[in-house]
Amino acid sequence: MIQYKQLMITIGISFFIALILGPIVIPILQKLKAGQSIRHEGPKTHYSKAGTPTIGGIIIIAAVFITTISSGRLNTDLYIVMFATLAFGFIGFIDDFIKVVLKRNLGLKAYQKLIGQVLIAIGIAVYQAKISSYGTQILIPFFNKHYLDLGILYIPYIVFVVVATTNSVNLTDGLDGLAAGVTLIVSSFFSLVALNWGYPSIAVFCGALTGACLGFLKFNAHPAKVFMGDTGSMALGGAIASVAILMNLTLFIPIVGGIYFAEALSVIIQVISFKLTGKRVFKMSPLHHHFELCGWKETKVVIVFWSVTLILCIIGLYALK
């Protein structure tokens, strides 16, 4: 059984790998001219970010994989979460590559992304339903470890969870250090749960993810030297979703990942409101841009969202009892 000391070592190894990879990957992205384009309707303070290298999520993915593979704790569960992370990261990479390297603004079409996401989600759902001793059950928060059996609804439910989570994390990635910092905290939560619930391989993976996000923040914190792009945000979403699925904790994602949920919900509300009434509820969506346009500095928004996530993860730990 992996212990807390081993978990900290795993986090440290992944952290240092990310620190080493940063100065290697960023110049390569600069040579490829993989610069981020900025929305003209967005906050004016973001205009100076135009041209900042993106696709930096490669740093996170590489650090996680190197650390995880070298841990010596490979098993089927670990292969599943690694596959999900890589597969979603690959979808994001293709989209980024088309947009920023080939200079085609549209990238992948929405339906192409959705098809890929659904196929990956179905694979994870089928695996968990057949392999897990809990089958199609999911843990209900705050109900003293009571489980709900979804039966035939399990697979469509998991597909919804995976697609919603990956796209929510993608929407969260809009400010320097926001998605990486929030995911760092969320993955720390899942690593602690995995450690105490007898999922050593998942604990290693989450520890590696935590360390990789922490190392990436060295280059992604304000002012960012590199952005993770869809490569990183999609990979992070796939990682968090698959980890929660394998531990039957999908209902905890809206709790500990409340910031993801709020970001996605703000977009949905904005779109519905504008189509029905012609009016916008928020100054701009996703939610982090609303606060920016309310006068908050970017760093303040990020720190507040990190703090909220930390509080939500503490609530999540209480919800496990």
Side-chain angles (χ1 to χ4, degrees), residues 48-288:
S48 61
K49 299 181 181 185
T52 301
T54 187
I55 318 182
I58 293 173
I59 297 171
I60 298 175
I61 295 172
V64 170
F65 270 68
I66 294 171
T67 304
T68 303
I69 292 174
S70 62
S71 69
R73 293 185 175 274
L74 299 177
N75 60 18
T76 309
D77 279 358
L78 196 51
Y79 288 136
I80 291 296
V81 294
M82 290 171 67
F83 164 75
T85 304
L86 185 60
F88 280 105
F90 183 66
I91 293 174
F93 174 78
I94 293 175
D95 192 43
D96 283 335
F97 189 83
I98 293 173
K99 288 188 292 187
V100 303
V101 178
L102 299 183
K103 308 302 180 183
R104 299 176 187 170
N105 293 333
L106 295 178
L108 286 175
K109 295 180 180 179
Y111 80 88
Q112 293 173 322
K113 293 182 186 178
L114 184 60
I115 289 174
Q117 293 170 352
V118 169
L119 290 176
I120 298 167
I122 290 174
I124 299 171
V126 171
Y127 166 81
Q128 182 66 358
K130 291 188 174 182
I131 300 300
S132 172
S133 58
Y134 290 96
T136 56
Q137 298 181 86
I138 56 174
L139 182 65
I140 304 175
F142 302 106
F143 277 83
N144 193 27
K145 294 189 177 180
H146 278 71
Y147 288 81
L148 172 66
D149 193 340
L150 296 178
I152 61 174
L153 296 178
Y154 183 76
I155 290 180
Y157 164 76
I158 291 299
V159 169
F160 171 77
V161 168
V162 173
V163 173
T165 302
T166 52
N167 286 291
S168 295
V169 176
N170 182 253
L171 289 171
T172 303
D173 182 34
L175 299 180
D176 295 354
L178 180 56
V182 169
T183 303
L184 184 159
I185 299 168
V186 173
S187 61
S188 297
F189 164 84
F190 282 116
S191 66
L192 290 175
V193 175
L195 188 64
N196 286 282
W197 280 24
Y199 293 94
S201 60
I202 294 180
V204 166
F205 176 84
C206 290
L209 184 61
T210 299
C213 287
L214 184 60
F216 184 71
L217 278 175
K218 169 66 170 63
F219 313 103
N220 184 237
H222 187 76
K225 299 179 181 66
V226 66
F227 300 136
M228 68 173 66
D230 285 1
T231 304
S233 60
M234 294 284 284
L236 293 182
I240 294 300
S242 58
V243 162
I245 290 167
L246 293 186
M247 291 196 292
N248 307 290
L249 297 177
T250 51
L251 289 178
F252 283 74
I253 297 177
I255 299 175
V256 300
I259 290 298
Y260 303 147
F261 180 77
E263 295 275 33
L265 189 61
S266 69
V267 173
I268 294 171
I269 292 173
Q270 189 85 323
V271 171
I272 293 175
S273 175
F274 187 75
K275 286 188 174 182
L276 293 180
T277 68
K279 297 181 180 179
R280 293 179 172 85
V281 176
F282 304 100
K283 292 179 181 294
M284 185 178 178
S285 64
L287 188 61
H288 53 261

